[in-house]
Amino acid sequence: MLAPIDTAAPPVAAGMWDLSCVDWQDRIREGRSLMPDVPLFAAEADMAQAFYDEIQLPDVPGKPKMRTASGEWFRELVRAAFGSWDPASQTRYIRDILLMVVKGSSKTTNSAALLLVAMLMNYRPRGKALFIGPTQAISLRAYEQAVGMIEESPDLKRRFRTHDHDMSIEDLVTKAEAQVKTFDVNILTGAMGLFFVLLDEVHLLGNKPNGAKVLRQIRGGLDKTPEGLLVMTTTQSDGIPAGIFKSELKLARNVRDGKYRGKVIRPMLPLLYEFPPEVATLTREERAQGVEPRWMDPAYWPWVMPNLGRSGSSLPELIADWEGERDKGDEAIRIWASQHLNVEIGQGINNEGWRGADYWEGAVDETITLEALIERCDVITLGIDGGGLDDLLALAAIGRDRVTREWLGWFKAWANPKVLEVRKDIAAQLKDFEEADELSICPVPQDVEELAAIVATIMASGKLPKKNAIGIDPNNAAAIIEALTGVGVTDEMIRRLLQGPALAPAMYGLERKLSDGTFWHAGTLLMAFVMGNAKVEQRGNSVMVTKAVSGRAKIDPLIALFQAAILMSWNPQSEPKSFWQKS
């Protein structure tokens, strides 16, 4: 709901607007607006909406104007974007907007129209506006839409001149320029007087290694002008959210949920069309019973489809498309759901994946830390997996709860800095894990030294068995074993476990324990990523998770988990502390 205010009055005494929408779940169930109840400067909002409403769609029969072609949900965004600017005090009360809406919502077309509105609302001589697409194809589509909109209007044709050679639009009145570009580290070269940036399909930028750096540059450029506005549009990612998409989505959700109320943060308006948790996810009990997620029921779909019935999309067509995709297996289902329903993928499992991953999301206990593991458990076994410098070094610990005898899992991994160069496709995700303190990016021999220090801490607690306490693949393990020996690990404590058939019992056993609620883990981003990488291979009568099948994707922590599980399944007993240790 958008309430106009007197432009002579300050919107709030503190100079900030409350952009939260804590009742968003009720609103989305009832089909109501997700726009927070914010005041607007009516003259600015009305003018922007009037410009937007007159723009015509160039590639739709009848070439309708936006006043009839666009949904009210996007017209509200237009009003908020420009009605949050106070021309009297030269103050912008919304600096960022994150719009997450499903595929088929005319994001790129609406964004092209928004770019033109920004140019029409601009007062800065020779200012600069940018439309930034993640790929050349998306950028070209946006530019062609903007050009088509200009060509359909005699007024816009007199106002703007288009330059196809560099995909730019010149304002003949203010001499401002709008450029359509593809995401690049040099995106802001020559961009002086930046007043508007539209960043399209942000989820595709999640794995860009320099994504965070470029976004900081964009915001820095906008902050040099008081009216600077950043609009980000996206669908949900078809993989686990990563990089700038993950961080911006987290920020937007926290703002929406009221977690920053009373705090001074960058003013972001979150418009997130996603299901409430009870529709998007299942409990572990529901998974064990084979219950289908509620989002699979088309009755819920209109909740996250504000553009349904427009731009050629209809519910019967979507249902037919869905039925075709669900027959292809879990991977096709998850990808379709992420794009058409904004269902966030926790684990990108598919028909070739490890079935235990189906229950991973339902087995989260966020209280599990290394300290909690030592405190709660009577015995702990470890698994260690490492390889070359482009692999992860992984440590998995499984503790047996002294009261319930349930298994509790804890994980840590290390990566050599060279991995960021060799595996640029996952570099942003690895940095996310480092920020969450689940991964350490460091050179050798720091990695094995840190690992050995953790093992020494567990040993000091007296929770490691005297025999078969640490499972390890003997291949490429010389440096690891030497470091363990240096902190007092004996040869009897190390059990050499080759990958392949030797780990099959752990794979099957953990599937069962995950499904019956007797294995818990802390729900780390690292392990969610690993679950999505795990593939299985049929070899004889055995089904095994192996690195060879998973290719260059990282599954080292899962292999370490299997090793620790093998040893825990042998019902070990911890080494009790001596009288002198107890004192």
Side-chain angles (χ1 to χ4, degrees):
M1 180 177 179
L2 299 174
I5 66 169
D6 183 352
T7 57
V12 290
M16 293 181 62
W17 287 357
D18 181 3
L19 299 176
S20 66
C21 188
V22 294
D23 61 341
W24 72 272
Q25 296 187 35
D26 292 334
R27 292 186 183 212
I28 208 162
R29 292 186 190 100
E30 298 163 9
R32 294 190 285 130
S33 169
L34 296 184
M35 185 67 66
D37 298 323
V38 293
L40 291 178
F41 296 91
E44 299 294 309
D46 291 346
M47 186 185 302
Q49 182 177 325
F51 285 142
Y52 178 77
D53 284 348
E54 285 300 305
I55 292 174
Q56 288 182 264
L57 291 176
D59 57 351
V60 175
K63 299 179 180 178
K65 292 184 176 181
M66 284 299 189
R67 70 172 66 254
T68 57
S70 175
E72 186 62 25
W73 63 278
F74 199 85
R75 296 171 84 232
E76 286 185 344
L77 184 152
V78 174
R79 291 184 60 83
F82 299 101
S84 58
W85 167 250
D86 179 6
S89 66
Q90 299 283 286
T91 303
R92 172 166 288 290
Y93 290 92
I94 295 176
R95 275 288 190 175
D96 295 354
I97 298 175
L98 178 59
L99 169 66
M100 185 171 72
V101 69
V102 300
K103 185 177 181 179
S105 298
S106 300
K107 286 188 305 301
T108 302
T109 297
N110 281 327
S111 297
L114 192 65
L115 178 67
L116 295 181
V117 173
M119 292 288 285
L120 292 167
M121 294 293 292
N122 170 56
Y123 67 90
R124 180 173 294 277
R126 302 186 185 278
K128 181 84 72 173
L130 292 176
F131 178 104
I132 304 172
T135 65
Q136 179 67 17
I138 291 175
S139 298
L140 180 59
R141 165 69 175 163
Y143 175 72
E144 290 175 343
Q145 285 292 90
V147 170
M149 292 169 180
I150 292 170
E151 291 177 347
E152 292 301 322
S153 168
D155 291 333
L156 294 181
K157 287 177 70 175
R158 284 192 295 270
R159 178 74 181 259
F160 297 121
R161 178 180 297 161
T162 59
H163 303 279
D164 294 347
H165 68 283
D166 62 354
M167 293 200 297
S168 66
I169 301 171
E170 179 187 1
D171 187 331
L172 300 178
V173 174
T174 65
K175 304 302 180 182
E177 182 184 48
Q179 289 190 331
V180 178
K181 294 187 175 185
T182 303
F183 191 84
D184 183 78
V185 293
N186 299 315
I187 200 73
L188 292 188
T189 300
M192 302 297 291
L194 194 64
F195 64 86
F196 180 82
V197 174
L198 197 149
L199 197 54
D200 196 23
E201 295 294 8
V202 179
H203 76 280
L204 294 178
L205 304 176
N207 291 324
K208 297 283 187 180
N210 295 307
K213 177 182 178 181
V214 175
L215 187 57
R216 282 195 298 271
Q217 292 176 345
I218 291 171
R219 283 194 168 121
L222 288 167
D223 289 347
K224 292 177 181 177
T225 57
E227 75 275 22
L229 174 66
L230 171 63
V231 178
M232 296 174 281
T233 67
T234 190
T235 60
Q236 183 54 262
S237 172
D238 61 4
I240 298 172
I244 62 171
F245 175 60
K246 181 185 78 72
S247 59
E248 294 303 310
L249 181 57
K250 180 180 179 180
L251 173 63
R253 284 171 172 164
N254 285 342
V255 172
R256 176 196 63 188
D257 297 342
K259 294 184 178 180
Y260 298 132
R261 278 180 167 174
K263 298 180 180 179
V264 178
I265 65 163
R266 187 177 182 86
M268 172 186 277
L269 172 64
L271 296 173
L272 310 176
Y273 288 88
E274 58 184 354
F275 290 121
E278 75 274 8
V279 177
T281 61
L282 291 175
T283 64
R284 177 150 53 172
E285 291 73 19
E286 288 173 330
R287 291 175 186 273
Q289 295 167 10
V291 176
E292 283 193 339
R294 293 168 186 82
W295 58 257
M296 290 187 176
D297 184 349
Y300 293 102
W301 295 359
W303 291 11
V304 295
M305 295 179 175
N307 221 51
L308 190 63
R310 301 177 185 273
S311 66
S313 63
S314 70
L315 197 57
E317 291 173 340
L318 285 166
I319 293 173
D321 188 36
W322 157 249
E323 293 298 337
E325 290 300 304
R326 74 182 303 178
D327 286 342
K328 298 177 183 178
D330 289 343
E331 183 177 21
I333 287 173
R334 290 291 184 100
I335 292 175
W336 192 94
S338 71
Q339 298 301 285
H340 291 86
L341 301 176
N342 275 345
V343 175
E344 182 173 327
I345 295 179
Q347 288 82 46
I349 60 169
N350 54 43
N351 283 341
E352 297 177 344
W354 176 51
R355 304 318 306 174
D358 291 348
Y359 305 99
W360 193 260
E361 290 178 87
V364 173
D365 178 354
E366 294 181 352
T367 68
I368 296 175
T369 62
L370 180 60
E371 293 75 18
L373 201 72
I374 293 173
E375 176 65 26
R376 292 170 56 181
C377 299
D378 64 346
V379 66
I380 297 173
T381 58
L382 306 177
I384 298 174
D385 186 60
L389 294 182
D390 63 341
D391 282 320
L392 301 184
L393 170 62
L395 171 67
I398 294 180
R400 186 176 62 206
D401 191 291
R402 66 165 60 87
V403 177
T404 66
R405 294 187 66 82
E406 293 174 345
W407 291 8
L408 312 179
W410 179 86
F411 308 89
K412 180 77 176 184
W414 292 262
N416 191 280
K418 293 183 180 296
V419 176
L420 302 180
E421 302 173 12
V422 176
R423 294 299 311 276
K424 292 184 178 180
D425 56 325
I426 62 171
Q429 288 170 306
L430 295 180
K431 289 189 175 184
D432 287 342
F433 306 149
E434 182 183 38
E435 184 178 342
D437 198 28
E438 300 164 6
L439 174 77
S440 176
I441 299 177
C442 60
V444 296
Q446 182 180 337
D447 52 355
V448 294
E449 292 172 352
E450 290 184 3
L451 181 149
I454 293 173
V455 174
T457 298
I458 300 173
M459 281 184 62
S461 72
K463 301 298 174 69
L464 283 183
K466 287 183 177 180
K467 295 182 61 176
N468 301 325
I470 304 171
I472 186 169
D473 186 336
N475 295 314
N476 299 315
I480 301 171
I481 293 176
E482 183 176 349
L484 294 177
T485 303
V487 296
V489 174
T490 66
D491 193 56
E492 283 188 324
M493 297 173 71
I494 297 175
R495 180 76 179 207
R496 290 158 177 79
L497 296 172
L498 291 171
Q499 294 182 37
L503 299 183
M507 185 186 71
Y508 289 121
L510 281 172
E511 286 178 14
R512 186 177 185 89
K513 294 189 74 64
L514 281 162
S515 67
D516 68 15
T518 57
F519 178 84
W520 300 89
H521 61 90
T524 62
L525 296 171
L526 170 66
M527 289 307 294
F529 168 75
V530 168
M531 291 298 145
N533 293 334
K535 305 294 187 294
V536 297
E537 176 186 7
Q538 187 77 38
R539 190 177 298 174
N541 294 324
S542 298
V543 177
M544 295 164 293
V545 176
T546 67
K547 287 183 183 178
V549 175
S550 295
R552 301 187 67 186
K554 301 305 178 187
I555 64 167
D556 309 86
L558 181 59
I559 298 300
L561 173 63
F562 289 160
Q563 292 166 338
I566 287 285
L567 302 184
M568 184 58 75
S569 69
W570 294 345
N571 192 31
Q573 302 302 311
S574 61
E575 180 180 3
K577 288 185 178 181
S578 70
F579 172 82
W580 302 108
Q581 287 176 308
K582 291 178 182 178
S583 62

